[in-house]
PDB file of all heavy atoms in Angstrom:
ATOM      1  N   ASN A  12      19.556 -14.439  -1.335  1.00 95.00           N
ATOM      2  CA  ASN A  12      19.721 -14.334   0.187  1.00 95.00           C
ATOM      3  C   ASN A  12      19.755 -12.862   0.632  1.00 95.00           C
ATOM      4  O   ASN A  12      19.688 -11.983  -0.305  1.00 95.00           O
ATOM      5  CB  ASN A  12      20.870 -15.117   0.581  1.00 95.00           C
ATOM      6  CG  ASN A  12      22.175 -14.742  -0.074  1.00 95.00           C
ATOM      7  OD1 ASN A  12      22.371 -13.508  -0.164  1.00 95.00           O
ATOM      8  ND2 ASN A  12      23.046 -15.603  -0.550  1.00 95.00           N
ATOM      9  N   HIS A  39      16.715  -7.722   3.578  1.00 98.00           N
ATOM     10  CA  HIS A  39      17.507  -7.590   2.425  1.00 98.00           C
ATOM     11  C   HIS A  39      18.276  -6.260   2.471  1.00 98.00           C
ATOM     12  O   HIS A  39      17.602  -5.319   2.759  1.00 98.00           O
ATOM     13  CB  HIS A  39      16.763  -7.741   1.109  1.00 98.00           C
ATOM     14  CG  HIS A  39      16.248  -9.114   0.834  1.00 98.00           C
ATOM     15  ND1 HIS A  39      17.032 -10.105   0.321  1.00 98.00           N
ATOM     16  CD2 HIS A  39      15.161  -9.712   1.182  1.00 98.00           C
ATOM     17  CE1 HIS A  39      16.434 -11.284   0.306  1.00 98.00           C
ATOM     18  NE2 HIS A  39      15.239 -11.043   0.795  1.00 98.00           N
ATOM     19  N   ALA A 105      19.776  -6.699 -18.706  1.00 98.00           N
ATOM     20  CA  ALA A 105      19.750  -7.739 -17.685  1.00 98.00           C
ATOM     21  C   ALA A 105      20.289  -9.099 -18.335  1.00 98.00           C
ATOM     22  O   ALA A 105      21.226  -9.687 -17.649  1.00 98.00           O
ATOM     23  CB  ALA A 105      18.395  -8.110 -17.176  1.00 98.00           C
ATOM     24  N   GLY A 117       3.653  -7.840 -15.521  1.00 98.00           N
ATOM     25  CA  GLY A 117       2.769  -7.635 -16.641  1.00 98.00           C
ATOM     26  C   GLY A 117       1.354  -7.012 -16.049  1.00 98.00           C
ATOM     27  O   GLY A 117       1.397  -6.322 -15.182  1.00 98.00           O
ATOM     28  N   ALA A 153       4.244  -7.886 -25.333  1.00 98.00           N
ATOM     29  CA  ALA A 153       5.638  -7.867 -25.893  1.00 98.00           C
ATOM     30  C   ALA A 153       6.602  -8.193 -24.785  1.00 98.00           C
ATOM     31  O   ALA A 153       7.603  -8.979 -25.037  1.00 98.00           O
ATOM     32  CB  ALA A 153       5.969  -6.682 -26.746  1.00 98.00           C
ATOM     33  N   PRO A 174      -0.431  -9.262 -12.413  1.00 98.00           N
ATOM     34  CA  PRO A 174      -1.277  -8.858 -11.310  1.00 98.00           C
ATOM     35  C   PRO A 174      -2.656  -8.270 -11.795  1.00 98.00           C
ATOM     36  O   PRO A 174      -2.696  -7.704 -12.891  1.00 98.00           O
ATOM     37  CB  PRO A 174      -0.555  -7.639 -10.737  1.00 98.00           C
ATOM     38  CG  PRO A 174       0.699  -7.471 -11.566  1.00 98.00           C
ATOM     39  CD  PRO A 174       0.560  -8.302 -12.801  1.00 98.00           C
ATOM     40  N   TRP A 213     -17.793   7.198 -12.689  1.00 97.00           N
ATOM     41  CA  TRP A 213     -17.852   6.997 -14.138  1.00 97.00           C
ATOM     42  C   TRP A 213     -18.455   5.661 -14.491  1.00 97.00           C
ATOM     43  O   TRP A 213     -18.345   4.761 -13.880  1.00 97.00           O
ATOM     44  CB  TRP A 213     -16.439   6.779 -14.725  1.00 97.00           C
ATOM     45  CG  TRP A 213     -15.681   8.234 -14.628  1.00 97.00           C
ATOM     46  CD1 TRP A 213     -16.117   9.413 -14.140  1.00 97.00           C
ATOM     47  CD2 TRP A 213     -14.254   8.314 -14.959  1.00 97.00           C
ATOM     48  NE1 TRP A 213     -15.151  10.331 -14.204  1.00 97.00           N
ATOM     49  CE2 TRP A 213     -14.036   9.746 -14.549  1.00 97.00           C
ATOM     50  CE3 TRP A 213     -13.176   7.565 -15.487  1.00 97.00           C
ATOM     51  CZ2 TRP A 213     -12.764  10.253 -14.794  1.00 97.00           C
ATOM     52  CZ3 TRP A 213     -11.962   8.057 -15.617  1.00 97.00           C
ATOM     53  CH2 TRP A 213     -11.681   9.457 -15.303  1.00 97.00           C
ATOM     54  N   SER A 215     -21.399   2.767 -15.721  1.00 98.00           N
ATOM     55  CA  SER A 215     -22.812   2.360 -15.416  1.00 98.00           C
ATOM     56  C   SER A 215     -22.675   1.681 -13.974  1.00 98.00           C
ATOM     57  O   SER A 215     -23.800   1.442 -13.372  1.00 98.00           O
ATOM     58  CB  SER A 215     -23.257   1.295 -16.359  1.00 98.00           C
ATOM     59  OG  SER A 215     -22.373   0.150 -16.322  1.00 98.00           O
ATOM     60  N   ASN A 246      -0.817 -15.689 -12.894  1.00 98.00           N
ATOM     61  CA  ASN A 246      -1.734 -14.687 -12.323  1.00 98.00           C
ATOM     62  C   ASN A 246      -1.645 -14.474 -10.881  1.00 98.00           C
ATOM     63  O   ASN A 246      -1.284 -15.361 -10.117  1.00 98.00           O
ATOM     64  CB  ASN A 246      -3.235 -15.183 -12.528  1.00 98.00           C
ATOM     65  CG  ASN A 246      -3.667 -15.280 -14.015  1.00 98.00           C
ATOM     66  OD1 ASN A 246      -2.948 -14.565 -14.765  1.00 98.00           O
ATOM     67  ND2 ASN A 246      -4.715 -16.111 -14.322  1.00 98.00           N
ATOM     68  N   GLU A 251     -11.322 -12.880  -6.057  1.00 97.00           N
ATOM     69  CA  GLU A 251     -12.751 -12.386  -5.864  1.00 97.00           C
ATOM     70  C   GLU A 251     -12.840 -11.109  -6.473  1.00 97.00           C
ATOM     71  O   GLU A 251     -11.948 -10.249  -6.418  1.00 97.00           O
ATOM     72  CB  GLU A 251     -12.908 -12.103  -4.417  1.00 97.00           C
ATOM     73  CG  GLU A 251     -13.154 -13.344  -3.621  1.00 97.00           C
ATOM     74  CD  GLU A 251     -13.129 -13.180  -2.046  1.00 97.00           C
ATOM     75  OE1 GLU A 251     -13.514 -12.089  -1.589  1.00 97.00           O
ATOM     76  OE2 GLU A 251     -12.780 -14.075  -1.394  1.00 97.00           O
ATOM     77  N   VAL A 262     -16.423   2.432  -0.567  1.00 98.00           N
ATOM     78  CA  VAL A 262     -15.558   3.526  -0.363  1.00 98.00           C
ATOM     79  C   VAL A 262     -16.302   4.669   0.337  1.00 98.00           C
ATOM     80  O   VAL A 262     -15.914   5.280   1.348  1.00 98.00           O
ATOM     81  CB  VAL A 262     -14.849   4.109  -1.667  1.00 98.00           C
ATOM     82  CG1 VAL A 262     -13.997   5.226  -1.366  1.00 98.00           C
ATOM     83  CG2 VAL A 262     -14.107   2.885  -2.313  1.00 98.00           C
ATOM     84  N   ASP A 280     -17.210   2.230 -19.708  1.00 95.00           N
ATOM     85  CA  ASP A 280     -17.158   1.048 -18.676  1.00 95.00           C
ATOM     86  C   ASP A 280     -15.864   0.184 -18.770  1.00 95.00           C
ATOM     87  O   ASP A 280     -15.428  -0.467 -17.796  1.00 95.00           O
ATOM     88  CB  ASP A 280     -18.299   0.210 -18.890  1.00 95.00           C
ATOM     89  CG  ASP A 280     -19.565   0.500 -18.114  1.00 95.00           C
ATOM     90  OD1 ASP A 280     -19.344   1.361 -17.204  1.00 95.00           O
ATOM     91  OD2 ASP A 280     -20.607   0.003 -18.409  1.00 95.00           O
TER      92      ASP A 280
END
Side-chain angles (χ1 to χ4, degrees):
N12 59 44
H39 289 278
W213 297 352
S215 66
N246 291 340
E251 287 172 24
V262 179
D280 269 345

